[in-house]
Structures are given as structure tokens and as C-alpha cells.
Amino acid sequence: MRDPETTLRQHDLPVTAQRVAVLRAVSRHPHATADELAEGVRGELGTISRQSVYNVLNVLTDKGIIRRIQPADSAALYEDRIGDNHHHLVCRSCGRTEDVCCAVGEAPCLKAHSHHGFKIDEAEVIYWGTCPACQKKR
Amino acid sequence: MRDPETTLRQHDLPVTAQRVAVLRAVSRHPHATADELAEGVRGELGTISRQSVYNVLNVLTDKGIIRRIQPADSAALYEDRIGDNHHHLVCRSCGRTEDVCCAVGEAPCLKAHSHHGFKIDEAEVIYWGTCPACQKKR
DNA sequence: GCAAGTTTTTGACAAAGTCCAAAAGTCCGT
DNA sequence: ACGGACTTTTGGACTTTGTCAAAAACTTGC
């Protein structure tokens, strides 16, 4: 992703310190929650309100600049990488999240076209399992 | 699904009025939230506490009697159909949820074996789109 | 029936987000 | 630069979804 300010201008968004800092935080910490990102931003800006973090994340998500994923039993996570159709692998016991390239050929999962008259725009895949560290623990 | 009492006994669960009623409610209303199910149960039993609904749903989910799905921006939904590897289609604007049989051949999506050392036990697929009713509205 | 062990209930609590109105900032034309 | 119009940010209250804990009420097996 190019630098935050340019990205914001390309999407007709006024450039504010908060938005720049949130974008950088998302870049630095992929798969972070809103609260974790808020912490990251505070390290850079000093302070930011919880509401602003949500505002910014919502705007950026709406514009397609970042992507929100919401695994079960966890707060929403945000990430930088967009448009490359990758999926996620989540550990059931610790919540650790990893990226996974689409497993078979090119996006076979998207083929459920027009079922029930729905217009489908995305297929989201989440693989559930146990990460190496948690396998050892038991 | 066979009758609720038999199902409970098969899993060594004491048969209580609440459990039977919740099971029936899940059967009657696939893809309902905990609150909607509570309403359904009240129509049958008169009253049930919110906590009991959660207790029962958790026990049933743990035993694999029902399945919980948790689409983004929605409370958890519960359903009867288990073990047939079907997925879900969710309307972004109204939240309507439909079942979808696995789109291509037999569960191609499950093939992301052992990525990152994870032991994968389930691949969950959610198709996002717009349902027919919401397409008309705009 | 009775004892032993589970469930259910009630009420308080926690996490993640949203709503609202006031204060502060950004951008654009001059 | 500067001012005004418009957008963001803030802070606080509120909502939703769900969990925790202790007491009261059930189920079950003998």
C-alpha cells in the first residue's frame, strides 16, 4: 500500500492526523482489533478517542481501502491486503489468525452464482483449526 | 431430526422442558438468533429466562446437536441441519440467510490442509450478496 | 420417594459498537 | 494567508449480545 496521505486523497477523504495514523497502524499490525489499533495509534499520536477509531475504520472499510473480517467469538479484525482474494485461518483456542491463499486454483468458492436470486459479491472463507502452539499445550 | 426427547437422551442430557422447547424452536425457525428462539419458546412454554436459552444453545452446540453460525454484523444464528457440509448465503442489507449446498463438487474448500502448521477441522464459507427483495428496493 | 447432581432462574456484569451534540479541524476560493 | 462552509473528532450515554455466580428448582437412578 502506498503512503497513507496519497491513499486518502485518492478516495476524496480529507487528510487528518487520525486517519493517517490509523492507516499506518493497520499496516503495521495486520489482523488487529479496533482496540489494538487504538493502542497503536496512541503510540504515534498521543491520544485518539475510541469513537474516532471506529469512525475511521468504518470510512476506510466503506471505501474499500481496508478490509474488515469478523470471525466468530472475536472482535472485528482489520487488514491492509485487499483485492487478492485471500482467506483466513483462525485458531479455535487462541484466536490467532493467518492469511491463506485461496486453496484450489482460482477462487472456486465464488461459483455459487445467483442462488436463490441473490446477487453474490463475495465469498468469505474461514478455516477453523488449532494452531501449532495450542496443539502442544494439550 | 428425530424427536427432541430421544435426541437429548442419546447424548446423555437430562430432558427438561426448556431443552425440548428450544430444540423444537430451532427446528421450526432455522437461522434464528437466540432472542428470536427465546420468543418462540415463550409461545410454547410461557416463559424461559434469557440465560437458559443461552445455556441450552451452548450445550446443544457443544454436543454437536445443533450448529451455530456467526455472520458478521449479526448475532449468532442456530440451525438444525448438521453434518451435511452446507454453507450460507447472507444478504448484506437485510441479513436474510439461506442455505447453500457446497457449490463445486465435494467440499473443495476443505483442501487447505495443514497450512502454517494448523490442524484444520472445518472450513466455513459465507457468500455475501443482496437478496431479491433488497435488489428491488434500490 | 429420596438423595445427589444438574438445570434454571435472577440479577449483575463485560465487551464491542453506535448515537448524539458540541468542539475542532480541513479544504477551497479569494 | 484568511475566512467560511463543511467534515471530523470528541466524550458520554446507551444498546446489544453474551457471560458469571449463587440460590432455588428440577431430573434421574436407586
Side-chain angles (χ1 to χ4, degrees), chain A residues 25-107:
Chain A
V26 173
S27 258
R28 266 202 312 272
H29 314 287
H31 309 141
T33 63
D35 272 356
E36 287 159 1
L37 293 170
E39 271 318 298
V41 170
R42 292 203 182 96
E44 195 175 323
L45 284 189
T47 73
I48 190 172
S49 68
R50 201 165 51 110
Q51 183 61 56
S52 293
V53 176
Y54 282 110
N55 282 350
V56 173
L57 290 172
N58 285 338
V59 172
L60 297 180
T61 303
D62 287 351
K63 292 277 184 178
I65 300 172
I66 61 176
R67 183 171 157 206
R68 170 169 27 217
I69 55 181
Q70 291 179 254
D73 299 317
S74 154
L77 310 179
Y78 295 87
E79 69 183 359
D80 224 7
R81 264 177 82 182
I82 50 166
D84 67 346
N85 194 263
H86 73 278
H87 299 308
H88 296 95
L89 179 48
V90 184
C91 175
R92 280 190 199 279
S93 78
C94 72
R96 192 178 133 199
T97 303
E98 300 284 347
D99 287 336
V100 179
C101 295
C102 201
V104 201
E106 35 95 320

Side-chain angles (χ1 to χ4, degrees), chain B residues 24-86:
Chain B
R24 270 208 275 266
V26 172
S27 257
R28 266 202 312 272
H29 313 288
H31 310 140
T33 64
D35 272 356
E36 287 159 1
L37 292 170
E39 272 316 300
V41 170
R42 295 209 178 90
E44 194 175 323
L45 285 188
T47 72
I48 190 173
S49 68
R50 203 166 53 109
Q51 183 63 56
S52 293
V53 176
Y54 282 109
N55 282 350
V56 173
L57 290 173
N58 285 338
V59 172
L60 298 179
T61 304
D62 286 351
K63 293 278 183 180
I65 300 173
I66 59 176
R67 182 172 160 209
R68 170 169 30 217
I69 54 181
Q70 292 180 253
D73 298 318
S74 154
L77 309 179
Y78 295 86
E79 68 183 359
D80 224 6
R81 263 177 83 180
I82 50 166
D84 67 344
N85 194 264
H86 74 278

Side-chain angles (χ1 to χ4, degrees), chain B residues 76-134:
Chain B
L77 309 179
Y78 295 86
E79 68 183 359
D80 224 6
R81 263 177 83 180
I82 50 166
D84 67 344
N85 194 264
H86 74 278
H87 298 307
H88 296 96
L89 178 47
V90 184
C91 175
R92 279 189 200 280
S93 77
C94 71
R96 192 177 134 199
T97 302
E98 301 284 348
D99 287 335
V100 179
C101 295
C102 201
V104 200
E106 34 97 320
C109 310
L110 273 162
K111 298 256 172 74
H113 29 259
S114 308
H115 231 288
H116 294 268
F118 278 57
K119 196 186 297 171
I120 298 178
D121 58 53
E122 186 191 346
E124 178 183 12
V125 183
I126 296 186
Y127 298 97
W128 292 95
T130 313
C131 75
C134 291

